[in-house]
């Protein structure tokens, strides 16, 4: 069964088609330069694969072409709606300011949308290793695009080294700006990061693995209807859990959390939503009905406007 898909956690730089990277770098790029091997040992090894794609995202032209190719490529996975995230400040340089960076990405996506009819929204990621001042400036620029191709902000980067308490003020500002947000938390860090993210107003949590076995954390997320963006294949590659049996997908579903299934990085992880779904069916006994339910969760917790959500429900009910 091919379900219409909704993707909420997908990084642009980690999801560029290989031929687009080759084209933008002007040389034939090998798969192994962009993709982790089967025996990926840790997050550090995983993150090395972002160097080349990031080089492609340093000009308006590169950002536009990459974004367009990214969205066009989702057709083969039957994706109907995507929230694609990236860190604008990683593309800012002496020739390119933050506003142009975000604008270029939206222009590329918009061009593709006209051809492939996939709904999209951009999530702008603040980075943990950037200063609060830089991140806040970025958010203020992102705010200008809210409802015009951008739907939310996020916090990404090294969670283990930079705990959530350092960003409570920043996301307080995001709230004041009227920006919805999701936060990477409990991927390679402690459950406290998840709890603090929720307490400071995150509507969704990226990964949230650290909630495993934590009754209070799970109860809090359930009570607040927090969307949990799980990325099974990526989480296993980065060793967010040591082996598949420790992965809390079934636990979270049974606990009544609003779980969603995502790819994280289509190219780096060599994944698609079709692959993720096949994987969780096989590995965790998730049924087709449950996959439809998880897709429904994704529609419910998406940062999309109501008219888009209604259209997505229509497409999902058509299954
Ligand atoms: Zn992520």
């Amino acid at each position: 069964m091919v379900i219409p898909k909704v993707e909420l956690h997908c990084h642009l730089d980690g999801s560029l088609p290989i031929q687009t990277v080759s084209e933008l770098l002007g040389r034939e790029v090998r798969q192994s330069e962009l993709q982790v091997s089967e025996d990926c040992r840790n997050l550090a090894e995983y993150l090395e694969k972002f160097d080349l794609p990031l080089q492609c995202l340093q000009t308006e032209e590169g950002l536009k072409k990459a974004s367009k190719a990214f969205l066009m490529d989702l057709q083969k996975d039957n994706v109907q709606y995507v929230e694609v995230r990236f860190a604008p400040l990683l593309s800012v340089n002496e020739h390119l300011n933050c506003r142009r960076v975000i604008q270029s990405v939206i222009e590329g996506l918009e061009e593709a949308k006209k051809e492939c009819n996939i709904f999209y929204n951009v999530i702008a990621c603040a980075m943990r290793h950037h200063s609060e001042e830089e991140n806040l400036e970025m958010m203020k620029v992102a705010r200008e695009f809210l409802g015009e191709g951008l739907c939310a902000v996020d916090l990404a980067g090294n969670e283990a080294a930079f705990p959530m308490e350092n960003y409570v003020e920043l996301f307080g500002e995001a709230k004041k700006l009227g920006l919805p947000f999701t936060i990477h938390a409990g991927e390679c860090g402690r459950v406290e990061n998840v709890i603090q993210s929720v307490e400071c107003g995150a509507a969704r949590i990226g990964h949230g693995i650290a909630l495993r076995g934590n009754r209070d954390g799970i109860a809090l997320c359930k009570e607040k209807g927090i969307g949990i963006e799980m990325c099974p294949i990526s989480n296993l590659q980065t060793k967010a859990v040591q082996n598949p049996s420790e992965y809390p997908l079934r636990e979270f579903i049974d606990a009544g959390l609003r779980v969603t299934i995502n790819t994280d990085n289509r190219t780096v992880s060599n994944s698609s939503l079709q692959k993720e779904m096949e994987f969780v069916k096989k590995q965790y006994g998730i049924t087709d009905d449950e996959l439809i339910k998880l897709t429904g969760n994704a529609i419910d917790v998406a940062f999309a406007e109501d008219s888009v959500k209604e259209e997505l429900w229509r497409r999902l009910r058509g299954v």
Side-chain angles (χ1 to χ4, degrees), residues 265-281:
N265 295 289
R266 288 171 171 263
T267 306
V268 176
S269 285
N270 189 21
S271 188
S272 64
L273 282 178
Q274 189 64 31
K275 274 195 188 177
E276 301 281 344
M277 288 183 173
E278 279 161 19
F279 175 73
V280 300
K281 267 169 94 163

Side-chain angles (χ1 to χ4, degrees), residues 185-189 194 205-213 228 230-231 235 240-241 246-248 252:
E187 178 184 15
C188 57
V194 178
I205 292 295
H207 308 294
I209 315 295
L211 285 168
R212 185 163 65 110
I228 311 290
M230 301 194 83
C231 308
N235 292 153
V241 293
E246 292 171 17
Y247 196 64
F252 289 179

Side-chain angles (χ1 to χ4, degrees), residues 5 51 108 129 209:
K5 315 251 187 359
D51 292 350
H129 69 279
I209 315 295

Side-chain angles (χ1 to χ4, degrees), residues 106-137:
I106 294 176
E107 279 171 16
L109 292 167
E110 189 58 32
E111 245 180 56
K113 187 192 170 200
K114 288 196 177 105
E115 292 177 39
C116 66
N117 200 24
I118 297 175
F119 294 107
Y120 71 85
N121 259 313
V122 167
I123 296 177
C125 303
M127 295 300 294
R128 287 185 156 92
H129 69 279
H130 287 154
S131 70
E132 181 165 337
E133 198 185 351
E134 289 172 303
N135 280 326
L136 183 56
E137 271 316 300

Side-chain angles (χ1 to χ4, degrees), residues 9 11 184 207 264:
H9 191 126
H11 294 262
H184 278 78
H207 308 294
D264 207 9

